[in-house]
Amino acid sequence: MAQDTSQNVFQGKKVALGICGGIAAYKAAEVLRGLQKAGCAVRVAMTARACEFVQPLTFRALSGEHVVVDDYAPDNPDPIAHITFSQTVELLIIAPATANIIGKFANGIADDFLSSTYLASTAPVLIAPAMNTSMWEHPATKRNVERLKADGVIFIEPDDGEMACGTIGPGRLSEPERIVAAAMEILQTTSGVVVQDLAGEKLLITVGATREPLDPVRFLSNNSSGRMGFAIADAARKRGAKVSVIAGSTTAEAPAGIALIRAFSAAEMHAAVMNALPEASIFIGAAAVADYRPAQSAQQKIKKTDTEITIKLERTEDILADVAALNRDDLLVIGFAAETENVLANAREKLRRKNLDAIVANDVMREGVGFNTITNEVTVISRDGKAPIHVPLMPKTNVATIILDQVVRLRARVKPTSHQRVVNGRKKA
Ligand code: CTP
């Protein structure tokens, strides 16, 4: 997310920094300094092994606070530190995090101060792992990381490079500035202090599943909950956009402060979109629109008179393609691609075929991704030549923020004219 020009939105934000045992423990001092520079009040907890690498005194001197290692230690000023400490913070960062602490967090083990703090805390958690490449790539670690991501923990993946042990590969602690930037983004989102970088924009977004009637009581539909689209709508409104949502059937709760129009079939959704489109400056097709509908919808309930019946299906209107085909230079058009194979190649093809400015691709075969989940993992591919942005598995509310960052970036660019689009061969045939 674009940084706010004033740093003091973070003034006094209470952040806990947990440090585990590893060579990278010394880099935690830089993370601490970065957080303090932004205005955060940071308290530090260390595992016993971390103290073998860096003395608690270093962090005590930097933070001006007692560093908790063992809450049973006689010198600990707070007898129930894991509760008071964990429940007063607005963000818990673990940097560096070892395979061991990740395993403990994933399995709810609370046998030291840091793991007890994790369990007792309700604050968002940001983990920056650092370990040997084989340990990072071990199926057990991968399992634990996936489980924590599904629990809503946000990870800053380790960097590739030469490790202290001499091996080359992923496992190096991410740069302290990146860790601090990710922390700022979480604090910004959770504190409700949001940059108004979509002020003046009018977002029109389709959400949820369409229903294509077979008869008065039955329909063809899909599992879309509407959660991803609603998360984008909500985040866009908080960032200053005027938001209109055209929703099919949804099970997720619609956010407040948006204009919501229900349109259940693809045809109804198409009509509602076309009606609202002249007002819009950004269109996002987040709905799972049926590609086919029954060619005839029976007027009365279909009776089970035959042993089998055949239902003829016909194509529905492609809302997204029709919007993009208008070639409006003042309209940013973004689609979704729910894929089960060749995800990026298929999404790129869809981006080109539908003449979109960007497409958000997800592999709906993966656990925790796509329909009816709280989390998502996507890749945003834009046609302006920028490298695709991979968004690892995280809550859909956070994915929405990153998608909107790309919307803001694309909006800042001058859109090519219709003529240029034809010359560049991107105009829809
Ligand atoms: N979409 C739409 N109208 C349709 C079908 C899809 O607006 N009738 C939009 C969706 O909202 C999404 C994008 O198109 O943004 C991709 O939809 P998807 O079904 O994944 O792709 P299709 O174009 O239908 O291609 P295919 O089914 O071959 O994957």
Side-chain angles (χ1 to χ4, degrees):
M1 182 184 292
Q3 290 292 310
D4 193 90
T5 44
S6 90
Q7 294 260 299
N8 56 17
V9 293
F10 305 111
Q11 196 62 46
K13 290 272 170 214
K14 295 191 184 68
V15 176
L17 176 61
I19 303 167
C20 302
I23 299 281
Y26 76 93
K27 289 193 188 167
E30 276 181 66
V31 176
L32 171 59
R33 297 297 285 162
L35 292 166
Q36 286 176 324
K37 267 192 213 147
C40 300
V42 189
R43 286 199 60 190
V44 175
M46 297 175 76
T47 63
R49 289 286 177 226
C51 304
E52 313 256 357
F53 291 89
V54 187
Q55 288 289 314
L57 185 61
T58 304
F59 295 101
R60 185 174 178 174
L62 290 174
S63 69
E65 295 274 358
H66 175 76
V67 173
V68 193
V69 178
D70 174 7
D71 47 346
Y72 294 98
D75 68 330
N76 182 4
D78 183 348
I80 47 164
H82 68 281
I83 303 294
T84 40
F85 186 94
S86 62
Q87 291 180 357
T88 50
V89 297
E90 291 158 273
L91 174 65
L92 172 62
I93 305 173
I94 313 294
T98 52
N100 183 47
I101 205 82
I102 290 170
K104 289 206 272 188
F105 285 3
N107 291 285
I109 295 169
D111 64 351
D112 64 1
F113 178 70
L114 195 52
S115 49
S116 311
T117 296
Y118 170 75
L119 267 195
S121 175
T122 52
V125 180
L126 176 67
I127 292 185
M131 66 195 76
N132 164 275
T133 303
S134 307
M135 292 172 85
W136 174 246
E137 289 179 340
H138 195 284
T141 308
K142 282 191 173 160
R143 239 184 352 257
N144 291 330
V145 168
E146 288 310 311
R147 182 179 279 195
L148 286 174
K149 284 181 179 174
D151 289 344
V153 171
I154 298 166
F155 275 79
I156 302 189
E157 306 281 317
D159 289 342
D160 256 38
E162 192 177 349
M163 320 278 293
C165 57
T167 45
I168 296 177
R172 253 177 36 175
L173 183 73
S174 183
E175 290 307 316
E177 309 86 73
R178 277 192 60 212
I179 299 171
V180 173
M184 299 294 94
E185 195 171 318
I186 297 169
L187 286 171
Q188 221 168 29
T189 309
T190 53
S191 64
V193 182
V194 181
V195 180
Q196 298 293 291
D197 52 5
L198 285 170
E201 300 289 353
K202 289 177 182 153
L203 169 67
L204 177 65
I205 182 167
T206 62
V207 168
T210 56
R211 289 177 173 179
E212 307 302 330
L214 281 157
D215 69 16
V217 294
R218 302 184 181 96
F219 52 80
L220 297 179
S221 190
N222 59 65
N223 227 356
S224 171
S225 62
R227 191 171 280 113
M228 188 70 248
F230 280 150
I232 294 173
D234 191 36
R237 183 193 62 81
K238 288 178 180 154
R239 286 164 77 155
K242 190 167 169 241
V243 180
S244 293
V245 177
I246 314 285
S249 108
T250 53
T251 49
E253 202 180 327
I258 51 148
L260 179 69
I261 295 171
R262 291 281 172 187
F264 286 103
S265 68
E268 286 166 358
M269 193 175 270
H270 187 274
V273 165
M274 291 306 164
N275 189 39
L277 199 61
E279 289 286 303
S281 61
I282 302 164
F283 175 78
I284 302 182
V289 186
D291 290 329
Y292 293 91
R293 67 175 150 239
Q296 271 162 2
S297 171
Q299 293 298 309
Q300 307 298 331
K301 188 177 166 219
I302 300 168
K303 290 290 184 189
K304 52 177 178 306
T305 46
D306 298 316
T307 47
E308 63 179 45
I309 58 169
T310 303
I311 295 164
K312 191 172 169 215
L313 302 177
E314 64 180 19
R315 285 287 294 269
T316 55
E317 302 74 5
D318 191 323
I319 303 165
L320 180 64
D322 285 357
V323 169
L326 295 173
N327 261 324
R328 260 179 54 190
D329 293 338
D330 59 339
L331 181 72
L332 194 72
V333 183
I334 296 175
F336 270 74
E339 304 291 344
T340 55
E341 57 179 353
N342 302 328
V343 178
L344 294 187
N346 284 345
R348 274 204 184 88
E349 198 279 322
K350 218 166 270 182
L351 172 87
R352 191 194 53 73
R353 175 165 45 87
K354 294 199 183 188
N355 193 30
L356 309 175
D357 291 297
I359 195 154
V360 182
N362 54 10
D363 181 349
V364 288
M365 296 296 269
R366 300 184 67 158
E367 210 184 316
V369 176
F371 290 171
N372 216 359
T373 56
I374 293 167
T375 51
N376 209 356
E377 177 177 354
V378 304
T379 303
V380 185
I381 307 171
S382 43
R383 77 157 179 217
D384 66 353
K386 189 170 188 294
I389 311 279
H390 178 244
V391 185
L393 194 74
M394 61 177 76
K396 283 181 174 169
T397 44
N398 297 97
V399 176
T401 300
I402 299 173
I403 292 172
L404 289 177
D405 289 347
Q406 295 311 307
V407 168
V408 169
R409 186 181 65 78
L410 289 165
R411 233 10 227 163
R413 292 172 57 91
V414 179
K415 290 195 77 179
T417 64
S418 310
H419 172 69
Q420 282 169 322
R421 285 194 186 196
V422 179
V423 170
N424 293 342
R426 291 192 299 242
K427 191 175 164 101
K428 201 175 162 69

